[in-house]
């Protein structure tokens, strides 16, 4: 029996949207470092998107459910690919704080480091962690993980919806172009 949408397919689809948001972070950083301004409220809305969709939804699915499922299947929780992913999530949260609190060059620097960190992180997950997940979790474990992801989505409401997240990325993108 096959899984209709596997948990890693859900996470890959979320990565696709997060990469779109990272392109906006990069554009905004370029504009700020060139002395330009961002539309009013734009930066805060972008950071809130990253906190809600990338962190509370996506990283929560990975940390609360995927990594423990991998541990259950014999992939060590500390060290190895899971340990690296956890460290990078922590680093990402610190950079979001720096992007929120810092100003001027510090903000631009934190934004660029965040984009670099997350792009590499997503590459590692897509290229290493998810193929490993697909290989070590049997169908029952994948179905259980899929149900757990649904509980995250139920808790987070529309913030966890890919359609809602992507619509907000579209809105931020138009606002940046129009400014
Ligand atoms: Fe991820």
């Amino acid at each position: 029996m096959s899984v209709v949408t596997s948990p890693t397919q859900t996470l890959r689809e979320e990565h696709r949207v997060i990469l779109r948001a990272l392109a906006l972070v990069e554009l905004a950083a370029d504009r700020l470092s060139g002395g330009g301004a961002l539309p009013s409220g734009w930066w805060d809305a972008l950071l809130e998107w990253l906190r809600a969709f990338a962190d509370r939804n996506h990283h929560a699915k990975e940390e609360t459910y995927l990594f423990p499922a991998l541990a259950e299947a014999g992939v060590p929780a500390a060290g190895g690919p899971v340990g690296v992913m956890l460290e990078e999530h922590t680093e990402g949260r610190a950079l979001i704080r720096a992007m929120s609190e810092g100003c001027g060059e510090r903000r631009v620097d934190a934004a660029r480091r965040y984009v670099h960190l997350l792009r590499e992180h997503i590459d590692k997950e897509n290229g290493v962690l998810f193929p490993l997940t697909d290989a070590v979790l049997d169908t029952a474990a994948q179905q259980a993980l899929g149900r757990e992801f649904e509980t995250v989505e139920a808790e987070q409401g529309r913030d966890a919806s890919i359609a809602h997240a992507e619509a907000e990325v579209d809105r931020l993108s138009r606002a940046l172009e129009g400014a």
Side-chain angles (χ1 to χ4, degrees):
M1 190 176 134
S2 67
V3 180
V4 179
T5 302
S6 74
T8 55
Q9 280 171 324
T10 301
L11 296 172
R12 282 178 195 275
E13 180 64 4
E14 292 179 355
H15 281 169
R16 184 185 63 74
V17 185
I18 292 168
L19 287 168
R20 287 196 58 203
L22 294 179
L24 289 179
V25 178
E26 192 169 46
L27 273 176
D30 288 348
R31 187 175 295 189
L32 289 173
S33 73
L38 299 172
S40 168
W42 193 94
W43 186 254
D44 288 339
L46 178 70
L47 291 183
E48 189 43 39
W49 189 99
L50 293 172
R51 287 189 199 100
F53 188 74
D55 203 42
R56 284 198 295 272
N57 165 54
H58 179 83
H59 290 163
K61 280 177 181 155
E62 294 175 344
E63 291 184 5
T64 313
Y65 298 112
L66 171 65
F67 299 165
L70 287 173
E72 188 109 329
V75 178
V82 171
V84 174
M85 296 303 108
L86 279 169
E87 276 169 27
E88 290 177 352
H89 286 178
T90 303
E91 215 178 311
R93 285 178 190 123
L95 286 171
I96 289 182
R97 272 196 301 281
M99 286 157 71
S100 164
E101 291 160 8
C103 52
E105 269 309 302
R106 289 171 73 95
R107 173 172 288 183
V108 169
D109 181 58
R112 288 189 169 139
R113 286 169 56 200
Y114 182 79
V115 169
H116 181 74
L117 174 80
L118 266 266
R119 280 182 179 151
E120 300 237 311
H121 178 78
I122 286 173
D123 271 355
K124 284 180 226 169
E125 289 189 340
N126 287 349
V128 179
L129 196 76
F130 295 169
L132 175 71
T133 302
D134 295 340
V136 301
L137 297 189
D138 61 20
T139 303
Q142 292 203 30
Q143 285 173 334
L145 191 55
R147 284 193 294 275
E148 287 168 338
F149 282 6
E150 282 168 16
T151 66
V152 175
E153 286 161 17
E155 271 166 29
Q156 303 289 329
R158 68 175 194 171
D159 279 348
S161 141
I162 287 181
H164 176 75
E166 195 148 34
E168 177 66 356
V169 169
D170 287 337
R171 186 188 73 77
L172 289 166
S173 177
R174 280 194 304 273
L176 194 62
E177 279 165 20

